[in-house]
Structure formats: C-alpha cells, structure tokens
Amino acid sequence: MTVTRLGPGRTLAAVAVAVVLTSALVGPVSAGDPYAYFDWDVSYITAAPLGVKQQVIGINGQFPGPIVNITTNWNVVVNVLNDLDEPLLITWNGIQHRKNSWQDGVLGTNCQIPSGWNWTYQFQVKDQIGSFFYFPSTNFQRAAGGYGGIIVNNRDVIPVPFGKPDGDITLFIGDWYSKNHTDLRKMLDGGKSLGMPDGVLINGKGPYRYNDTLVPRGIEHETINVHPGKTYRIRVHNVGISTSLNFRIQNHNMLLVETEGSYTVQQNYTNLDIHVGQSYSFLVTMDQNASSDYYIVASARIVNESIWRRVTGVAILHYSNSKGKASGPLPDPPQDFYDKTFSMNQARSIRWNLSAGAARPNPQGSFRYSSINVSQVYLLKNVPPVVINGKRRATLNGISYFPPETPLRLADQYKLKGVYTLDFPTRPLKGAPKIGKSVINGTYRGFMEIIFQNNDTKVQTYHIDGYAFFVVGMDYGEWTEDSRGTYNKGDGVARSTTQVFPGAWTAILVSLDNVGIWNVRAENLDAWYLGQEVYVRVVNPEDTNKTELPMPDNALYCGLLQKFQNEQTPHHRASSSSITYVRGKLVVLMSILVAMATFT
Ligand SMILES: *[C@@H]1O[C@H](CO)[C@@H](O)[C@H](O)[C@H]1NC(C)=O
Ligand SMILES: *[C@@H]1O[C@H](CO)[C@@H](O)[C@H](O)[C@H]1NC(C)=O
Ligand SMILES: *[C@@H]1O[C@H](CO)[C@@H](O)[C@H](O)[C@H]1NC(C)=O
Ligand SMILES: *[C@@H]1O[C@H](CO)[C@@H](O)[C@H](O)[C@H]1NC(C)=O
Ligand SMILES: *[C@@H]1O[C@H](CO)[C@@H](O)[C@H](O)[C@H]1NC(C)=O
Ligand SMILES: *[C@@H]1O[C@H](CO)[C@@H](O)[C@H](O)[C@H]1NC(C)=O
Ligand SMILES: *[C@@H]1O[C@H](CO)[C@@H](O)[C@H](O)[C@H]1NC(C)=O
Ligand SMILES: *[C@@H]1O[C@H](CO)[C@@H](O)[C@H](O)[C@H]1NC(C)=O
Ligand SMILES: *[C@@H]1O[C@H](CO)[C@@H](O)[C@H](O)[C@H]1NC(C)=O
Ligand SMILES: *[C@@H]1O[C@H](CO)[C@@H](O)[C@H](O)[C@H]1NC(C)=O
Ligand SMILES: *[C@@H]1O[C@H](CO)[C@@H](O)[C@H](O)[C@H]1NC(C)=O
Ligand SMILES: *[C@@H]1O[C@H](CO)[C@@H](O)[C@H](O)[C@H]1NC(C)=O
C-alpha cells in the first residue's frame, strides 16, 4: 500500500502496490514471508515551501515521498527509476538488512544508479518493528527532499505495549534552505559553511503564519486533522540537514512510546529534542477543548533563540469541532540557554521497556547487554571542520573519509586489493588530519564499545547502518575509562541514531552479529558530505554462505569493476510523455472519490 496525500492532513491508503503471499517471484530473500512491491519514479518537482520556487526531489510526484507501510519479516521490493539529472542511491535509515549490506544504498556497498536508469532494491525487514525513514544518500540530495517514512508494524501474534491508536500520523521535520542542493554543494565544495537555514519545514511545507512579521504571506502550511477524544500515534522524523529541533504540540502531552525500533518506557513530555536523523513515536490524546486550533512547533535548539526565531516550523492541529484558528504566541521552548544539562537529562530519560516484546515474543530486556564482555573499543572524535590539501573537510579521529570509486563490499567480493585499508585507529590520530579510506576491522560476533567524543561547538548525531546499538552513557567533558562507572547497565535504549552534545561524549555498545560492510556516519549532512564517516567491516571467518546473502544478480558495477556493467537504455519517465501526468490526475481523482466515501 502507498499513502496518497490529499491535502491538509488527510491521508488515504491507495492500492498502488500489490502485497502478495508468494515466494517464487524474486531472489534469495526468505521464502514464505509476504512481499510488498513499490514502483518509484524519483524526479524533480517544483515547489516553494518557503515562498521561493525551487526544484525539490519527489517520488511519484510526491514530496515527502510515499510511506512504506509493512510488517515484520516482509520482503520489500522497490524498483527505483532515477529520473534526476545526476546519480542516485536510496538508503533506509534504521532498516537493518540482516546479512544483506548489498541493499543498504550507500557508497560503501552500492554503485550509484546512473541518471535515467532504474534499479530494484530487494530486502527483508527481518525481526524489526518501528518507525524509520528513507532518503537519497549521496550528492547532498536529502537537502532537496526525496525522503519518506517507513513503518514496520508488529506481527499480529506479538502484542504492542499500548492500545491500538485511532490513527497513525507521520511528521517530517527538518531545516531547509531556499538554495537548492546543487548550490549548497557548491558552497561546501568551495570551502564555505552553509550558514543559518531559511526555515524549518513540516511535511514539506513552510510555517503557519503565526506572526505577520516573521512569516510572509502566501506560504502553504501543514494541517493535521483530528477528532476530539481520540488518541493518535504520531511518528516524528528529523530529516533535516544539521539543525536539532525541539518538537512540541501546544497544550498536549506527548507520551513517548517508541524510538527507532525499540519500545521505550512510556513517559509524557511537553516537548522533546529531536536531532538530525532521529525518529520517535508519541501517543497524543486529543483531550483539550476545541475553542481553537493548536500549534505544532519544531524550533531550532541549542542556539540563540532570538536570532533563530525566524527558523521555526509551525503546523496546525485542527480538531474536527474546532471553533477557530490558533492565535497568540507559540508555546515556549525550554528556557535553558545557560543550562546545558536540560537536553542531556531529557535524552537520558529515554529508556528501554525491558518487559515489552518487540519484533519477537521474548521481552526486549531478555538481551542483557551489560553481561556481555566488550571485545573492541573505539573512541571516535570529531573536531570543527579542518583544511586538508586546501579543502575544507570534516574528520573522525583525524581522518576524512573519501569514498573510493569501487564500493568496498564489491571490492571484497572480487578480492580486489588496495581499494581500502583495514586500519582505522581506535583513538584519535596525533598530527595533521588526512584524507583516508580507512575502515574499522570489526570482529564477527564481537561486542564493540564506541565512544563518540564531540569537540565541535554544535550537536552532532551519529548513525550506524545494519544495527541497533545500546545508548549507555553521555556526559560533558572528555571521556575516560572511569566514565564507564556512569553507564546505564540496565535499560539503555537500543536505537540506530544518537546525539552527541558539543563538548560532550556519548557511549554505545553494539553486538557485531550482522555480516557485511556498514556505514557509520554523521547524520548532519554537511559534516557527512565533507567526510565525517567510516565503515565497519564484519566478516565471518568461517567459509559459509549462511551468514551473508550472495551478491544480487542486478548489482551495478563501477570503479575498477566498471567493465562488467552492461548498458541500460536510459528512460526518463516524466519527460517522455504526458501519460504520467494524466495517470497522476486519475489516481488523485479516484483517491478523492474514495476519500469522500471514507470520510463522509
Ligand atoms: C539550482 O539553482 C541554480 C541557480 O541558483 C541552477 O543553476 C541549478 O540548475 C539548480 N539546480 C537544480 C537541481 O535545480
Ligand atoms: C498500514 O497498513 C495496515 C494494514 O497492514 C493498516 O492497518 C494501517 O492503517 C496502515 N497504516 C498507515 C499509516 O497507512
Ligand atoms: C527496471 O524496471 C523494469 C520494470 O519497470 C524491470 O523489469 C527491471 O528489472 C528493472 N531493472 C533493474 C536493473 O532493476
Ligand atoms: C512496558 O511494557 C509492558 C508490556 O507490554 C507494558 O505493560 C507496560 O505498560 C510498559 N511499561 C511502561 C512504563 O511503559
Ligand atoms: C512577531 O515577531 C516579531 C519579531 O520577533 C516580534 O517583535 C513581534 O512582537 C511578534 N508579533 C506578535 C504579534 O507576537
Ligand atoms: C500522560 O498525560 C495524560 C494526559 O495528557 C495522562 O492522562 C496520562 O496518564 C499520562 N501518562 C503518564 C504515563 O504519565
Ligand atoms: C479552552 O482552552 C483554552 C486554552 O487552554 C482556555 O483558555 C479556555 O478557557 C478553555 N475553555 C473552556 C470552555 O474550557
Ligand atoms: C542572542 O542574540 C541577541 C541578538 O544578537 C543578543 O542580544 C543576546 O545577548 C544573545 N543571547 C545570548 C544568550 O547569547
Ligand atoms: C567476561 O570476562 C570475565 C573476566 O575475563 C569472565 O570471567 C567471564 O566469563 C566473561 N563473560 C562472558 C559472558 O564471556
Ligand atoms: C581483523 O580482525 C580479525 C579478527 O577479527 C583478525 O584476524 C585480522 O587479522 C584483522 N585484520 C587486520 C588487517 O588487522
Ligand atoms: C576541544 O578540545 C580542546 C583540546 O582538548 C579543549 O580545550 C576544548 O575545550 C574542546 N572543546 C570542546 C567543545 O569540546
Ligand atoms: C557459497 O556460494 C557460492 C556461490 O553460490 C559457491 O560457489 C560456494 O561454493 C559456496 N560456499 C560454501 C562454503 O558453501
């Protein structure tokens, strides 16, 4: 099923892909589990979220893209047509791709899909539940959109630790520039920083005009339609470039229930800091009187609020019996400019519900991470951008990663030497920073401790593909061996993206049970683009085909292996005829008819 957006806040499941119970059609993914098929045309569409017309990246003409709504263990087949004028890869933030880094959609595992070509991703969401999102992983394209939600539902046999909500709403929040991604790229390539963003979007739309001075006329905002007394699951993803955002809904408590595939201890928040790349689910009950609509706010965090006020996302929560528009000032963000610990304490309060089951029937807490011995320790330190060979670059441990033209996993498959080195340092290098293609040598079935030390002056978030890790500690200052005494040894939450505050560290533990080559990256797009990433290589020393799936038949070749690549005749769908347009109209028309039937 894909979800067709029908204007303000209304979503409707439209049957655009078939979900069939078959195992015969495709590849080596698990037999017996259902398949969900998606057909995506990724192309530029014109939009003006902040009043300035620009090319944004849409999927099947939608921005944000369609929601991938699936269930644990389903097989997902996504045929992606690259209708852009540059190469494309889609990555699946938080999807673990068990035994299958071939489908991860980053430069270390995949060649980019050339302009005009299509490529079919095929993976199983094995033993996962929760809220995730996908986005284009290269060429700074996420700054132009191309993102959308992934919902992995529990199987019916596994209880969810809360009652069935009356509705399911996805919100994408993120900072946004009126310059397009190619211009932003040029700025970074030219050694400039991007400066302050022009605004914050909510679901691809600009702010509601809550203040005539701050918000110009003629900007379209998002409206979320709800019914009084009902409880909704609201999934919020920070899909932005580099701004941490405080998320809040005026007069409403937000009960946190899930983050990136883990059920959390359920607690009410009046606001929560959501950092770049993070995903959360809240249950929100519409328990207020409907004297007016309410504001939904995403405002920049850990910055000087008076300067950043214009960079604020505002959407509207509209009760079906509402008596008027939202008015007056926005609900206050936390007043803690001089209190660095508020946001960190809030982050520490997010804990794992040990007794809840997640994708499997056994409780989450049956994996007791504190009883496992750590086998490898990496301290990964970032510093403010540096200049290497005259270029502005970002580093980890003094190394700025520069992706080789041949994907690492493909190089391994063909036993090519010299594409990368397996010598990433366990501690920051002394001496001048350098460009490298150095990879972490992960021990299969080892238990790795990673400490992210943030020496920069802004919040950084880090993500690891292929895994969920335990967030066991964070604090200000330099990490030392003694810091381990402060770790949460019981209910640190398992997730895939964690924040690291400026001048602080965050410690995580990860069980290296997933064979493949996996990206460890700064989610802040400018730092990532400038080289703040590394890969972890996890190889089973035993010669077996059981712990990793074979290379897919449709794998693309590039770099040193370019000679194996067969040509594909480019076919740009959108530009070829008006049929797509007519079809699009038809789908919308049909959707409206169905919507009328559903909502009346
Ligand atoms: C981005 O904007 C520049 C002008 O500032 C234009 O030349 C370029 O084609 C645009 N790129 C895209 C992808 O729209
Ligand atoms: C996802 O699909 C399930 C059925 O499999 C449906 O009950 C649910 O409403 C869908 N969620 C969304 C957000 O479309
Ligand atoms: C491209 O799409 C067509 C159908 O639209 C499909 O038959 C073909 O397998 C796809 N090619 C790749 C390499 O995924
Ligand atoms: C934890 O999960 C259990 C099992 O589903 C549930 O009954 C309980 O309410 C949850 N506890 C909290 C504090 O969220
Ligand atoms: C609108 O914002 C401006 C600039 O921050 C502020 O001076 C003014 O008081 C605000 N107006 C209202 C009605 O809140
Ligand atoms: C959360 O707040 C709601 C009111 O908005 C209240 O009914 C509920 O009991 C609270 N839940 C917890 C776990 O504090
Ligand atoms: C409804 O809520 C608003 C905002 O909290 C409050 O000012 C107003 O007095 C309430 N009205 C009623 C009838 O409870
Ligand atoms: C925030 O910026 C304003 C305007 O430049 C300045 O007056 C104020 O002192 C700053 N506040 C803090 C807490 O630095
Ligand atoms: C962890 O290490 C300790 C001390 O070296 C050892 O006694 C213990 O058996 C180990 N535990 C596991 C689960 O391997
Ligand atoms: C990588 O680690 C494995 C143990 O997991 C070790 O056998 C191998 O020698 C290491 N390779 C390099 C290049 O250090
Ligand atoms: C960065 O490191 C230097 C040298 O250790 C230290 O003096 C400085 O306070 C650090 N800054 C931050 C933001 O961590
Ligand atoms: C693994 O699979 C490949 C190709 O399918 C085959 O050539 C190889 O012998 C297999 N290795 C083992 C250990 O089964």
Side-chain angles (χ1 to χ4, degrees):
M1 307 274 261
T2 58
V3 170
T4 306
R5 216 167 281 285
L6 287 175
R10 278 202 176 166
T11 54
L12 166 81
V15 184
V17 289
V19 173
V20 287
L21 281 151
T22 171
S23 57
L25 281 169
V26 271
V29 268
S30 206
D33 293 312
Y35 280 79
Y37 296 94
F38 300 86
D39 225 336
W40 288 356
D41 180 358
V42 181
S43 71
Y44 293 123
I45 55 177
T46 304
L50 294 175
V52 179
K53 269 196 185 164
Q54 61 193 125
Q55 301 276 72
V56 306
I57 298 176
I59 294 179
N60 298 342
Q62 291 173 241
F63 165 64
I67 288 177
V68 175
N69 179 16
I70 48 184
T71 298
T72 307
N73 293 350
W74 281 19
N75 299 296
V76 181
V77 182
V78 190
N79 185 13
V80 173
L81 171 64
N82 177 6
D83 229 336
L84 305 175
D85 57 355
E86 55 187 32
L88 170 74
L89 277 179
I90 302 276
T91 195
W92 318 87
N93 216 61
I95 296 299
Q96 287 175 17
H97 301 292
R98 307 283 319 163
K99 310 178 183 180
N100 199 3
S101 64
W102 297 111
Q103 304 292 330
D104 199 22
V106 289
L107 289 176
T109 54
N110 296 74
C111 299
Q112 298 193 77
I113 309 165
S115 171
W117 290 34
N118 69 314
W119 197 70
T120 304
Y121 288 87
Q122 196 173 296
F123 55 87
Q124 188 179 23
V125 288
K126 187 77 185 153
D127 291 337
Q128 281 200 272
I129 54 98
S131 313
F132 312 98
F133 66 95
Y134 59 83
F135 68 91
S137 71
T138 59
N139 304 309
F140 219 69
Q141 287 162 358
R142 194 174 81 213
Y147 49 73
I150 305 173
I151 295 174
V152 187
N153 301 291
N154 277 64
R155 288 180 287 153
D156 286 341
V157 293
I158 316 262
V160 175
F162 45 85
K164 190 173 162 48
D166 298 302
D168 197 311
I169 295 163
T170 294
L171 295 180
F172 303 98
I173 59 175
D175 58 0
W176 187 265
Y177 291 84
S178 295
K179 283 200 170 73
N180 64 35
H181 73 290
T182 54
D183 281 350
L184 294 174
R185 220 158 58 196
K186 268 188 212 135
M187 288 176 72
L188 291 172
D189 291 340
K192 296 201 187 76
S193 69
L194 301 181
M196 248 171 89
D198 297 303
V200 166
L201 305 192
I202 299 184
N203 284 357
K205 294 179 186 150
Y208 172 76
R209 198 161 189 224
Y210 69 100
N211 177 316
D212 289 356
T213 321
L214 289 170
V215 184
R217 210 180 291 276
I219 287 182
E220 195 194 345
H221 67 268
E222 177 72 329
T223 300
I224 303 298
N225 292 307
V226 293
H227 295 291
K230 302 279 188 210
T231 297
Y232 296 81
R233 180 171 183 169
I234 304 188
R235 304 175 198 251
V236 190
H237 309 276
N238 186 335
V239 293
I241 296 169
S242 71
T243 306
S244 295
L245 296 171
N246 181 264
F247 180 78
R248 53 198 187 272
I249 305 176
Q250 188 176 30
N251 284 13
H252 289 76
N253 267 336
M254 312 188 297
L255 186 71
L256 179 68
V257 293
E258 180 251 346
T259 179
E260 295 157 22
S262 281
Y263 289 119
T264 61
V265 169
Q266 294 171 19
Q267 291 181 93
N268 276 323
Y269 293 82
T270 51
N271 66 79
L272 189 77
D273 289 342
I274 305 183
H275 303 275
V276 177
Q278 294 187 319
S279 303
Y280 289 100
S281 290
F282 305 98
L283 295 183
V284 182
T285 299
M286 301 307 146
D287 56 4
Q288 296 299 299
N289 71 47
S291 56
S292 71
D293 292 346
Y294 295 93
Y295 294 126
I296 299 172
V297 183
S299 61
R301 223 18 202 130
I302 337 265
V303 292
N304 183 333
E305 306 271 350
S306 68
I307 299 174
W308 281 71
R309 187 165 299 142
R310 66 173 176 82
V311 186
T312 299
V314 185
I316 291 299
L317 184 73
H318 174 76
Y319 280 46
S320 50
N321 60 342
S322 170
K323 294 189 185 60
K325 287 186 179 349
S327 62
L330 300 180
D332 281 334
Q335 303 294 317
D336 65 335
F337 193 79
Y338 297 103
D339 173 12
K340 291 200 298 181
T341 56
F342 180 89
S343 188
M344 187 181 277
N345 284 337
Q346 195 184 51
R348 288 176 177 141
S349 73
I350 298 166
R351 289 171 297 123
W352 222 23
N353 181 339
L354 300 178
S355 62
R360 291 168 180 266
N362 51 328
Q364 293 182 139
S366 54
F367 187 89
R368 292 217 306 280
Y369 63 81
S370 59
S371 66
I372 303 171
N373 288 334
V374 167
S375 53
Q376 289 177 285
V377 182
Y378 279 82
L379 186 120
L380 304 183
K381 182 175 184 174
N382 79 304
V383 296
V386 294
V387 174
I388 308 176
N389 306 333
K391 293 267 184 208
R392 184 184 156 98
R393 301 289 302 177
T395 57
L396 273 180
N397 282 3
I399 300 176
S400 186
Y401 185 81
F402 197 86
E405 279 185 29
T406 316
L408 314 177
R409 184 64 199 84
L410 211 53
D412 271 9
Q413 181 77 7
Y414 284 84
K415 300 190 165 47
L416 299 179
K417 300 277 175 238
V419 170
Y420 64 92
T421 55
L422 209 50
D423 59 353
F424 196 83
T426 57
R427 298 284 158 130
L429 289 180
K430 298 200 166 63
K434 57 183 192 187
I435 302 282
K437 40 186 187 171
S438 167
V439 167
I440 293 178
N441 184 12
T443 306
Y444 177 56
R445 294 215 160 116
F447 202 54
M448 187 181 278
E449 177 184 20
I450 300 176
I451 302 103
F452 293 105
Q453 180 81 50
N454 183 1
N455 191 247
D456 202 346
T457 52
K458 42 189 303 197
V459 181
Q460 192 56 271
T461 51
Y462 291 94
H463 175 88
I464 303 188
D465 283 352
Y467 292 97
F469 49 72
F470 299 95
V471 181
V472 294
M474 53 178 79
D475 208 348
Y476 284 98
E478 295 276 321
W479 181 88
T480 67
E481 308 269 330
D482 290 342
S483 307
R484 291 197 177 110
T486 68
Y487 284 5
N488 176 341
K489 298 195 172 56
D491 59 2
V493 74
R495 63 186 310 173
S496 59
T497 310
T498 187
Q499 70 269 52
V500 190
F501 292 94
W505 54 267
T506 296
I508 64 165
L509 297 173
V510 52
S511 176
L512 299 182
D513 56 358
N514 194 11
V515 170
I517 296 194
W518 303 105
N519 191 222
V520 180
R521 61 172 170 267
E523 286 278 62
N524 301 42
L525 208 50
D526 41 0
W528 184 19
Y529 182 78
L530 294 175
Q532 199 172 105
E533 66 174 325
V534 60
Y535 284 83
V536 183
R537 179 178 183 265
V538 181
V539 172
N540 184 350
E542 194 188 322
D543 184 19
T544 167
N545 283 336
K546 290 191 186 124
T547 51
E548 194 183 23
L549 293 174
M551 187 178 93
D553 293 340
N554 65 346
L556 295 173
Y557 295 94
C558 53
L560 296 171
L561 298 164
Q562 179 73 50
K563 59 177 183 287
F564 295 127
Q565 183 60 51
N566 297 323
E567 280 303 308
Q568 203 183 79
T569 314
H571 52 299
H572 286 281
R573 225 176 270 168
S575 52
S576 60
S577 71
S578 60
I579 288 168
T580 320
Y581 177 66
V582 172
R583 264 202 210 130
K585 269 199 158 168
L586 258 177
V587 169
V588 171
L589 187 66
M590 282 167 59
S591 305
I592 289 167
L593 288 174
V594 179
M596 282 164 67
T598 313
F599 288 99
T600 51

